[in-house]
Amino acid sequence: MSRNFIYKVLGALVVLCAAVFWLLSITMPETFGDFSLAWAGVLLCGGLGAIMLIQGLFQKNNVSIKKFKVWIGVGLFIAAILCLVSALAIPGNLVLPIIAIVVAAGLMIAVFASGGEKWDEGDNHKVGYKNYHERKAEEEKQQQKENNE
């Protein structure tokens, strides 16, 4: 089994779990009455956000895809926090600091996932890089050398 398949199965299980709990809260309110749509959102966004963060950290992709997955995971965690605020009625003055902590943690995770590399770092930043004109001059020298021999 490939890792992508496992991530897809985990994502499907998170969605299924949230849907089942939400259905149980409607059909059996005496047992699952405290589970609301907001809690389903917390479960759904938190689970999918965790999967995206794990993919961003551990998959072998280029830097821009890794950072994209990390930031999608952070966005899902922010959505989970907003659902949690509506589920628990957290005071409004605590919401922005919590979101700021999640964004800061996402920034740190993005740096660790990319290894500090920029997504647009090209060959011209590497030691010994020769531009087009330098390569063309070397080719002409090589051809003159071959012609003289």
Side-chain angles (χ1 to χ4, degrees), residues 59-80:
Q59 275 190 335
K60 303 289 184 207
N61 288 327
N62 64 11
V63 175
S64 60
I65 292 176
K66 291 178 113 180
K67 284 186 177 181
F68 178 73
K69 287 186 177 187
V70 167
W71 285 116
I72 292 294
V74 168
L76 286 169
F77 274 128
I78 290 171

Side-chain angles (χ1 to χ4, degrees), residues 17-54:
C17 183
V20 166
F21 276 126
W22 188 29
L23 179 67
L24 287 173
S25 72
I26 292 171
T27 58
M28 298 169 42
E30 63 280 350
T31 307
F32 294 97
D34 292 337
F35 192 85
S36 63
L37 182 59
W39 282 110
V42 170
L43 184 62
L44 187 67
C45 292
L48 293 178
I51 291 170
M52 291 301 282
L53 281 178
I54 291 170

Side-chain angles (χ1 to χ4, degrees), residues 70-144:
V70 167
W71 285 116
I72 292 294
V74 168
L76 286 169
F77 274 128
I78 290 171
I81 288 170
L82 294 175
C83 290
L84 187 65
V85 165
S86 68
L88 293 178
I90 295 176
N93 59 352
L94 290 178
V95 175
L96 287 178
I98 292 171
I99 290 174
I101 290 170
V102 169
V103 169
L107 180 64
M108 290 298 297
I109 291 170
V111 168
F112 285 125
S114 65
E117 296 178 23
K118 293 184 178 179
W119 67 271
D120 62 347
E121 182 116 348
D123 290 337
N124 58 344
H125 291 102
K126 295 180 181 175
V127 176
Y129 175 78
K130 296 177 183 170
N131 64 21
Y132 172 78
H133 300 292
E134 292 170 341
R135 288 193 310 265
K136 197 66 168 170
E138 281 187 4
E139 286 178 14
E140 289 175 2
K141 284 182 186 177
Q142 188 71 16
Q143 286 179 354
Q144 286 178 356

